[in-house]
Amino acid sequence: MNIFRFAGDMTHLISILVLLLKIYATKSCSGISLKTQELYAIVFLARYLDLFTDFISVYNTIMKLVFIGSSLAIVWCMRFHRVVRRSYDRELDTFRHYFLVGVSFILALVVHEKFSFQEIFWAFSIYLEAVAILPQLVLLQRSGNVDNLAGQYVFFLGAYRAFYILNWIYRYFTEEHFGRWISCVSGLVQTALYADFFYYYFISWKNNVKLKLPA
């Protein structure tokens, strides 16, 4: 494992911890898209089917279990926790995310690296993750003002993908048979979706003001 992959994993883990902190410490999920969280739960469940068939390392297995468990816990809290669910911005979180699931699955059936059960679902998870942030970004744009923890959550989530791009570049030049082009293309698309958010996040940080996204 190279330093960029590790940094990507850690920023991803930090984004989840920030979100869990927001939900459990404040007993509020205001500013968080349930639909994005449901998409991430689907992403991890589809991607880590190899948890039952392949063992790579203890670190790899732990990270997979953490991502699956945390995503399901967040969805459960936002849907069923008697206090947290009251703060859910249902009126703002109206993105039709099931279209993203359908299009991603069809794309995985057509464009994949190997036609097998696990590879199809792996490709599906990669395509879906590339666009899973869209409901969250739309919700933040509609709400205007972004609270500190929600903004940090999205920032670290975007940073995770940026580090993974550096990881792929590093592996391309150091590994003889690196060919995960589906991950690379999808990662570039996903990172591009964060560009607008990163711009306003940097402006708010530079001017020490509350983060606001234009409607």
Side-chain angles (χ1 to χ4, degrees):
M1 180 189 300
N2 62 69
I3 187 63
F4 301 115
R5 165 72 185 274
F6 182 73
D9 287 345
M10 290 303 102
T11 50
H12 193 183
L13 188 59
I14 290 171
S15 73
I16 292 173
L17 292 175
V18 167
L19 183 53
L20 288 172
L21 174 66
K22 173 181 172 57
I23 291 174
Y24 283 97
T26 66
K27 294 295 186 291
S28 170
C29 62
S30 176
I32 302 300
S33 168
L34 172 61
K35 296 186 175 182
T36 282
Q37 299 310 313
E38 289 175 338
L39 292 178
Y40 277 123
I42 295 171
V43 164
F44 297 135
L45 288 170
R47 181 173 304 167
Y48 299 142
L49 291 174
D50 64 348
L51 197 60
F52 304 102
T53 59
D54 303 316
F55 176 78
I56 299 173
S57 68
V58 173
Y59 170 84
N60 185 273
T61 300
I62 290 175
M63 294 301 285
K64 289 176 180 178
L65 291 173
V66 166
F67 291 142
I68 292 173
S70 59
S71 63
L72 293 176
I74 291 167
V75 170
W76 182 88
C77 275
M78 293 184 70
R79 278 194 171 276
F80 303 112
H81 192 285
R82 61 187 182 86
V83 177
V84 174
R85 67 180 183 179
R86 296 174 189 168
S87 58
Y88 171 47
D89 300 315
R90 191 179 306 275
E91 295 78 14
L92 300 178
D93 194 21
T94 58
F95 195 101
R96 292 172 180 164
H97 62 324
Y98 45 83
F99 283 120
L100 299 178
V101 176
V103 171
S104 297
F105 191 73
I106 292 171
L107 186 58
L109 289 174
V110 177
V111 184
H112 47 263
E113 295 182 3
K114 181 182 177 183
F115 191 78
S116 67
F117 181 81
Q118 283 193 5
E119 283 296 319
I120 293 296
F121 274 89
W122 176 84
F124 162 66
S125 75
I126 295 296
Y127 296 138
L128 185 59
E129 186 181 18
V131 294
I133 195 63
L134 280 174
Q136 179 65 62
L137 294 177
V138 170
L139 185 151
L140 292 179
Q141 192 173 45
R142 287 174 176 173
S143 62
N145 292 324
V146 182
D147 74 60
N148 192 38
L149 287 175
Q152 289 181 2
Y153 163 68
V154 177
F155 172 79
F156 282 115
L157 207 53
Y160 138 67
R161 295 315 293 176
F163 276 120
Y164 258 66
I165 290 177
L166 295 175
N167 163 58
W168 294 323
I169 293 172
Y170 176 84
R171 293 180 64 186
Y172 177 79
F173 286 106
T174 58
E175 296 181 15
E176 188 174 348
H177 300 292
F178 177 69
R180 286 291 196 178
W181 61 271
I182 289 178
S183 293
C184 297
V185 173
S186 299
L188 287 171
V189 170
Q190 184 177 358
T191 306
L193 293 177
Y194 287 92
D196 190 58
F197 174 86
F198 278 144
Y199 171 77
Y200 288 103
Y201 187 92
F202 175 75
I203 293 298
S204 67
W205 171 79
K206 182 180 178 182
N207 297 326
N208 195 28
V209 297
K210 187 177 180 64
L211 176 61
K212 293 183 179 181
L213 298 181

